[in-house]
């Protein structure tokens, strides 16, 4: 059975709600957009400046034969997928047309089901749309089935785009068609039976011969289709070489489609009509989504709806099985009365209780562990009940994470008194909400109070109008949806241009992980310039990520505006944009250069991706001179030292000026600085000390981590790794103590002395936790895998899924280091002298 916890089954406090919907029934046939995109983005983004900029396509034809070939291969995949969905669409149109003939036949008899006028209204233009798509499908199908890289089909898409006028007529009539169908089914039982269950033919190669769909759902399909066709044109262009004869034709088709989409989105979006505003205009839904509200000191998940003139905050009501879902309005603020309090005005707002990082990290580990269990169950053809149980557990954990991780305050104030506080995990989203509200506030709005009946009608409309149906957690994804990328994304933020005047500028990078967006990196501030040149590289860990967002800020140095609240961001967003992380495009060894355009500003960046199994490899250095990638015993022998010089110097520098740095060892340093330090240590340069004293402290911390990560075998050795895993799993404290100390004693001397030296340093860092926010647990999470993760040969033996070994082994690696960090001081001589511990062969 398909498992999909939607918002529908969960109320805002996280209580489960049972729900039974008949197979194949759709409450409302609306596009289920991703949580971050409103349905209008596809067209409107072009004008408003915050749309997704299409990937530049010019260079696609130039990367040699191989790239062109790959592009054409991708083109075939895109087309095959589109063809399959086109077949389904034609079957849906056919199902709509099926009852039309018998209805027309009865219309002229003495007992008509519907009048000719009603039939004409309900099925308006469906026949024309069907014929256009049938002809398109019949022409495209043989081209895809007998694929040849020289095949051209741009003219077919161009012709399809040129016939979009028929859709305009359909859209203009859509609302009346729906109303007529609803009235007729209320007054005529026969028609009601027909419209509740229309049989749609299954695709040729599918097991299902038919599915039942409502007429209301099918009437929405043409509107949905225009958006889909436009997206396919985007994808086709991306994978068509610029010198291919189809390229200009597809460009033309995309231009026509986008202009058409803009015009219908601007005129009417049929499902966005609701009750009217005080001025008698139609009140429309502009944006909706899930936000966390801090209400009476606790976090609640709300579904927030922004209408033309009012912001409404709702939660799903608990309903009995089979009953229609309804929203319950918690509060609303007319936009005429809505203000955003500045940080200094919001002193009286409640303080945000921030969940410690290690608790969030723990929960992520748990979710990853459950994910790999689900994979195992599926691979072993496990019982569906066991899988259901695991998925339910995963949903509960992801729901907890969604509720507890946001910490960026988004305050809403009603001029007439009350203030409300939402918490978001992404400043990008916060600015999207703020901008959408401010755009609407430019219009001449009136204040009003809704009567209880009006409020009921408006809240009642939310369920039909909503565009975001599911809570944004990964358990809500279908199995065939892209799971996103796991691994490391390397991003170099080069430069930006297009600023009107000089300013102090910086960028932040956000990626989505576990269903929501978080900020992962931040460039330095480039002062007083219109053309900042950052050229900074970052390594960002991806956990099921599908998008990268870049935000460009102007730094605020005005002391009065800087709020006491850590998470308040008072800097001004100058522009923002996002791109999809396409697994095919990103997974090349080479850097891929790109530009994001935002608000007239262009930010240049490059990126490349390393999958998690690649990044788990320890690669020994070919040369035995430097220190990186060289065995620790070789380095200490060469230096005649007990602890490698690099370890001593980095630790000394961190203790001198980084021990109170917030997030030391967790926040990544600039990759180019780390590479520079690596080169200096490898060359044993005389200027090491001078360079260390000038270098950003996060880069020094990053260099130390990199040194341990690049050791050809982990500091705690490959040989002892299985024993560490077994030792940490022991439940008897005495046995565990005995085993864990014996394992330390079994380490080679350079490894043991270095480990104890690092251990004492990390304990000193954790003593400053109130200031640097780095607990023993945080440090164990950062260093555990670095010190224990086996090298390539070893990890191969028990490596199944990259995400699988990730979750389970990483948890154990963190626990091993945490055990030693929480242990009373361990001295090398005591350890070696102490024969109380019985010796066993490991």
């Amino acid at each position: 059975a398909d498992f999909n916890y939607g918002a529908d089954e969960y109320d805002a406090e996280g209580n489960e709600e049972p729900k039974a919907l008949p197979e194949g029934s759709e409450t409302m046939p609306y596009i289920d957009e991703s949580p971050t995109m409103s349905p209008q983005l596809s067209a409107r983004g072009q004008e408003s400046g915050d749309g997704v900029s299409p990937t530049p396509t010019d260079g696609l034809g130039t990367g040699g034969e191989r790239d062109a070939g790959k592009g054409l291969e991708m083109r075939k995949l895109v087309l095959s997928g589109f063809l399959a969905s086109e077949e389904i669409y034609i079957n849906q149109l056919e199902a709509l047309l099926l009852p039309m003939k018998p209805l027309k036949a009865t219309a002229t008899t003495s007992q008509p089901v519907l009048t000719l006028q009603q039939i004409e209204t309900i099925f308006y233009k469906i026949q024309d749309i069907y014929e256009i798509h049938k002809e398109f499908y019949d022409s495209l199908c043989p081209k895809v089935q007998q694929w040849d890289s020289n095949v051209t089909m741009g003219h077919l898409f161009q012709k399809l785009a040129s016939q979009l006028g028929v859709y305009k007529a359909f859209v203009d009539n859509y609302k009346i068609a729906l109303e007529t169908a609803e009235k007729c089914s209320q007054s005529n039982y026969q028609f009601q039976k027909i419209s509740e269950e229309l049989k749609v033919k299954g695709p040729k190669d599918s097991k299902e011969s038919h599915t039942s769909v409502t007429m209301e759902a099918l009437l929405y399909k043409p509107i949905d289709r225009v958006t889909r066709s436009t997206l396919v044109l985007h994808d086709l262009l991306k994978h068509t070489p610029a010198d291919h004869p189809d390229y200009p034709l597809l460009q033309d088709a995309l231009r026509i489609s986008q202009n058409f989409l803009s015009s219908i989105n601007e005129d009417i979006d049929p499902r966005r009509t609701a009750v009217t505003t005080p001025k008698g205009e139609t009140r429309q839904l502009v944006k909706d989504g899930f936000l966390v509200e801090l209400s009476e000191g606790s976090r609640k998940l709300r579904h927030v709806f922004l209408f033309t003139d009012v912001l409404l905050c709702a939660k799903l009501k608990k309903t009995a099985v089979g009953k229609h879902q309804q929203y319950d309005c918690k509060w609303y603020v007319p936009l005429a009365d809505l203000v955003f309090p500045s940080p200094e005005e919001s002193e009286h707002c409640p303080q945000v209780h921030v969940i410690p990082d290690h608790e969030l990290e723990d929960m992520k580990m748990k979710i990853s562990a459950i994910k790999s269990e689900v994979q195992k169950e599926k691979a072993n053809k496990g019982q569906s009940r066991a899988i259901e149980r695991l998925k339910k557990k995963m949903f509960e954990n992801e729901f907890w994470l969604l509720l507890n991780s946001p910490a960026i305050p988004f305050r809403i104030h009603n001029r007439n008194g009350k203030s409300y506080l939402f918490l978001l995990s992404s400043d990008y989203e916060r600015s999207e909400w703020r901008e959408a509200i401010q755009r609407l506030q430019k219009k001449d709005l009136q204040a009003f109070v809704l009567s209880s009946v009006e409020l009921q009608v408006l809240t009642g409309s939310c369920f039909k109008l909503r565009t975001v149906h599911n809570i944004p957690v990964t358990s809500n994804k279908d199995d065939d949806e892209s799971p996103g990328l796991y691994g490391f994304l390397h991003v170099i933020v080069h430069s930006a241009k297009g600023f009107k005047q000089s300013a102090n500028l910086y960028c932040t990078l956000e990626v989505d992980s576990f269903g929501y967006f978080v900020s992962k990196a931040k460039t330095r501030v480039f002062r007083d310039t219109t053309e900042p040149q950052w050229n900074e590289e970052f390594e960002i860990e991806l956990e099921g990520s599908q998008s990268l967002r870049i935000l460009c800020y102007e730094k605020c140095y005005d002391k009065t505006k800087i709020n006491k609240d850590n998470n308040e961001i008072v800097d001004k967003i100058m522009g923002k944009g996002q791109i999809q992380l396409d697994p095919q495009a990103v997974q090349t060894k080479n850097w891929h250069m790109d530009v994001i355009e935002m608000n007239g500003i262009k930010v240049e960046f490059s990126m490349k991706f390393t999958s998690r199994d690649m990044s788990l490899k320890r690669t020994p250095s070919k040369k035995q001179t430097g220190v990186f990638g060289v065995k620790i015993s070789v380095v200490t022998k060469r230096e005649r030292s007990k602890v490698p010089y690099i370890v001593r110097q980095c630790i000394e520098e961190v203790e001198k000026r980084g021990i109170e740095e917030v997030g030391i060892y967790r926040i990544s340093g600039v990759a180019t600085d780390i590479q520079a330090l690596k080169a200096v240590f490898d060359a044993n340069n005389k200027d090491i000390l001078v360079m260390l004293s000038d270098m950003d402290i996060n880069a020094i911390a990053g260099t130390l981590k990199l040194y341990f990560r690049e050791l050809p075998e982990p500091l705690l050795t490959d040989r002892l790794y299985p024993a560490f895993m077994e030792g940490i799993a022991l439940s008897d404290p005495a046995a565990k103590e005995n085993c864990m100390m014996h394992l330390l004693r079994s380490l080679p001397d350079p490894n043991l002395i270095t480990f104890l030296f690092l251990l004492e340093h990390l304990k000193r860092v954790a003593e400053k936790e109130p200031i640097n926010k780095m607990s023993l647990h945080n440090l164990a999470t950062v260093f555990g895998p670095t010190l224990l993760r086996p090298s390539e040969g070893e990890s191969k033996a028990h490596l199944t899924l990259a995400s699988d070994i990730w979750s389970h082994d990483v948890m154990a690696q963190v626990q091993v280091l945490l055990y030693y960090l929480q242990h009373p001081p361990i001295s090398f001589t005591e350890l070696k002298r102490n024969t109380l511990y019985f010796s066993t062969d490991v």
Side-chain angles (χ1 to χ4, degrees), residues 386-400:
I387 294 175
E388 296 286 304
R389 219 174 22 252
L390 284 169
K391 284 194 168 182
K392 185 170 179 225
K393 185 79 192 140
M394 181 157 95
F395 177 81
E396 285 161 7
N397 289 346
E398 290 197 310
F399 188 84
W400 182 92

Side-chain angles (χ1 to χ4, degrees), residues 2 93 150-151 189 201 217 235 427 435 444 502 517 529 531-532 551 576 606-607 644 673 841:
D2 266 358
L93 293 172
N150 300 321
V151 75
Y189 179 69
K201 208 161 57 184
D235 291 342
D427 198 25
E435 283 165 19
D444 177 25
S502 285
F517 278 86
T529 179
E531 293 203 1
L551 292 97
K576 62 186 192 319
S606 299
M607 58 183 179
D673 289 349
D841 263 344

Side-chain angles (χ1 to χ4, degrees), residues 402-560:
L402 187 74
L403 212 52
N404 289 294
S405 50
I408 300 171
F410 176 42
R411 298 186 167 87
I412 300 278
H413 180 66
N414 186 336
R415 273 187 237 275
N416 304 323
K418 199 143 189 246
S419 287
Y420 304 95
L421 173 59
F422 291 113
L423 297 172
L424 281 74
S425 58
S426 147
D427 198 25
Y428 192 102
E429 257 149 70
R430 181 171 74 158
S431 80
E432 279 191 322
W433 278 99
R434 193 178 275 159
E435 283 165 19
I437 292 169
Q438 285 167 338
R439 259 201 300 277
L440 294 168
Q441 287 180 326
K442 285 185 182 142
K443 296 174 183 158
D444 177 25
L445 296 169
Q446 290 183 3
F448 57 87
V449 176
L450 293 172
S451 70
S452 58
V453 175
E454 284 174 319
L455 186 57
Q456 215 175 342
V457 173
L458 185 60
T459 312
S461 72
C462 289
F463 189 78
K464 282 194 166 189
L465 295 171
R466 63 192 183 151
T467 65
V468 181
H469 291 208
N470 288 334
I471 297 169
V473 291
T474 52
S475 2
N476 277 335
K477 283 189 179 172
D478 294 333
D479 288 346
D480 54 357
E481 270 186 82
S482 160
L485 294 168
Y486 287 85
F488 295 90
L489 185 70
H490 300 262
V491 181
I492 302 175
V493 182
H494 297 295
S495 59
K497 47 179 179 288
F499 296 98
K500 303 281 186 289
Q501 56 208 55
S502 285
N504 303 315
L505 303 164
Y506 70 92
C507 283
T508 62
L509 308 177
E510 290 183 356
V511 294
D512 52 329
S513 72
F514 295 92
Y516 58 90
F517 278 86
V518 272
S519 185
K520 289 280 196 172
K522 179 177 173 181
T523 67
R524 64 185 187 281
V525 178
F526 213 101
R527 298 234 175 176
D528 201 18
T529 179
T530 54
E531 293 203 1
Q533 301 280 333
W534 294 288
N535 293 317
E536 286 181 73
E537 184 185 330
F538 301 95
E539 181 183 81
I540 295 172
E541 189 173 353
L542 303 182
E543 297 164 301
S545 310
Q546 293 179 317
S547 304
L548 167 72
R549 292 170 165 179
I550 298 188
L551 292 97
C552 194
Y553 291 90
E554 179 180 357
K555 181 78 184 155
C556 162
Y557 289 108
D558 178 350
K559 286 283 184 287
T560 60

Side-chain angles (χ1 to χ4, degrees), residues 242-307:
D243 54 3
H244 194 285
D246 271 346
Y247 193 81
L249 303 175
L250 291 171
Q251 257 183 333
D252 193 43
L254 180 63
R255 183 184 53 75
I256 299 169
S257 304
Q258 280 177 333
N259 289 344
F260 172 74
L261 258 187
S262 308
S263 70
I264 67 164
N265 258 340
E266 289 301 324
D267 296 350
I268 63 153
D269 185 338
R271 61 182 152 153
R272 293 177 168 259
T273 53
V275 255
T276 53
T277 67
K279 297 163 84 174
E281 295 159 358
T282 306
R283 180 175 284 137
Q284 295 183 325
L285 178 67
V286 178
K287 181 176 173 62
D288 69 309
F290 290 99
L291 295 181
V292 173
E293 185 189 11
L294 198 63
S295 163
E296 294 160 8
S298 65
R299 292 166 177 252
K300 312 278 188 193
L301 190 69
R302 304 292 192 215
H303 200 148
V304 182
F305 294 86
L306 173 62
F307 289 95

Side-chain angles (χ1 to χ4, degrees), residues 805-822:
I805 67 150
W806 185 250
S807 52
H808 187 268
D809 283 15
V810 166
M811 286 167 91
Q813 291 158 12
V814 170
Q815 290 306 318
V816 170
L817 181 54
L818 190 57
Y819 180 84
Y820 292 122
L821 284 170
Q822 290 171 338

Side-chain angles (χ1 to χ4, degrees), residues 485-769:
L485 294 168
Y486 287 85
F488 295 90
L489 185 70
H490 300 262
V491 181
I492 302 175
V493 182
H494 297 295
S495 59
K497 47 179 179 288
F499 296 98
K500 303 281 186 289
Q501 56 208 55
S502 285
N504 303 315
L505 303 164
Y506 70 92
C507 283
T508 62
L509 308 177
E510 290 183 356
V511 294
D512 52 329
S513 72
F514 295 92
Y516 58 90
F517 278 86
V518 272
S519 185
K520 289 280 196 172
K522 179 177 173 181
T523 67
R524 64 185 187 281
V525 178
F526 213 101
R527 298 234 175 176
D528 201 18
T529 179
T530 54
E531 293 203 1
Q533 301 280 333
W534 294 288
N535 293 317
E536 286 181 73
E537 184 185 330
F538 301 95
E539 181 183 81
I540 295 172
E541 189 173 353
L542 303 182
E543 297 164 301
S545 310
Q546 293 179 317
S547 304
L548 167 72
R549 292 170 165 179
I550 298 188
L551 292 97
C552 194
Y553 291 90
E554 179 180 357
K555 181 78 184 155
C556 162
Y557 289 108
D558 178 350
K559 286 283 184 287
T560 60
K561 283 191 183 157
I562 294 173
N563 193 19
K564 290 193 271 290
D565 186 349
N566 284 351
N567 293 296
E568 187 67 67
I569 301 166
V570 292
D571 299 338
K572 182 180 168 199
I573 295 182
M574 304 298 282
K576 62 186 192 319
Q578 75 172 6
I579 56 157
Q580 294 303 107
L581 296 172
D582 171 13
Q584 267 80 22
V586 181
Q587 278 175 334
T588 56
K589 295 227 167 50
N590 308 328
W591 287 97
H592 165 71
M593 179 110 167
D594 215 331
V595 175
I596 282 189
E597 293 199 37
M598 37 172 119
N599 258 358
I601 299 162
K602 286 184 180 179
V603 175
E604 274 197 10
F605 64 99
S606 299
M607 58 183 179
K608 69 176 178 185
F609 171 72
T610 323
S611 65
R612 183 150 277 162
D613 34 358
M614 288 300 291
S615 61
L616 286 172
K617 287 181 183 168
R618 292 179 183 269
T619 40
S621 170
K622 298 276 185 288
K623 55 183 193 345
Q624 286 298 305
T625 48
V627 291
F628 281 82
V630 178
K631 283 184 178 169
I632 194 163
S633 55
V634 172
V635 172
T636 48
K637 198 169 171 185
R638 188 198 312 138
E639 292 178 355
R640 296 194 179 85
S641 61
K642 289 185 173 173
V643 174
Y645 178 69
I646 180 171
V647 176
R648 284 175 290 142
Q649 284 312 128
C650 290
I651 285 179
E652 189 180 314
E653 202 60 38
V654 169
E655 295 204 353
K656 202 187 295 175
R657 59 191 179 91
I659 205 146
E660 295 191 346
E661 181 82 11
V662 174
I664 187 74
Y665 289 121
R666 190 172 56 81
I667 289 177
S668 54
V670 176
T672 36
D673 289 349
I674 294 173
Q675 289 306 321
L677 279 170
K678 176 182 174 179
V680 172
F681 274 112
D682 265 344
N684 196 12
N685 195 309
K686 293 192 247 350
D687 304 330
I688 290 178
L689 293 177
V690 178
M691 195 165 167
L692 277 176
S693 59
D694 285 346
M695 194 60 87
D696 171 52
I697 199 66
N698 288 319
I700 293 168
T703 305
L704 181 65
K705 286 191 295 183
L706 185 69
Y707 168 71
F708 286 119
R709 201 161 75 211
E710 290 198 355
L711 281 174
E713 81 159 349
L715 187 66
L716 298 187
T717 72
D718 284 328
R719 185 175 68 88
L720 295 177
Y721 182 73
F724 275 114
M725 293 298 103
E726 283 166 21
I728 199 65
L730 293 171
S731 33
D732 175 53
K736 187 184 275 192
E737 164 84 2
N738 209 344
C739 177
M740 298 301 274
M741 289 305 130
H742 171 67
L743 287 172
L744 282 190
R745 212 174 318 108
S746 312
L747 284 169
D749 282 4
N751 298 55
L752 175 57
I753 297 169
T754 303
F755 178 64
L756 295 177
F757 186 76
L758 176 67
L759 210 55
E760 290 313 304
H761 164 63
L762 294 178
K763 287 181 182 180
R764 288 191 289 275
V765 171
E767 282 166 11
K768 299 282 184 188
E769 185 194 352

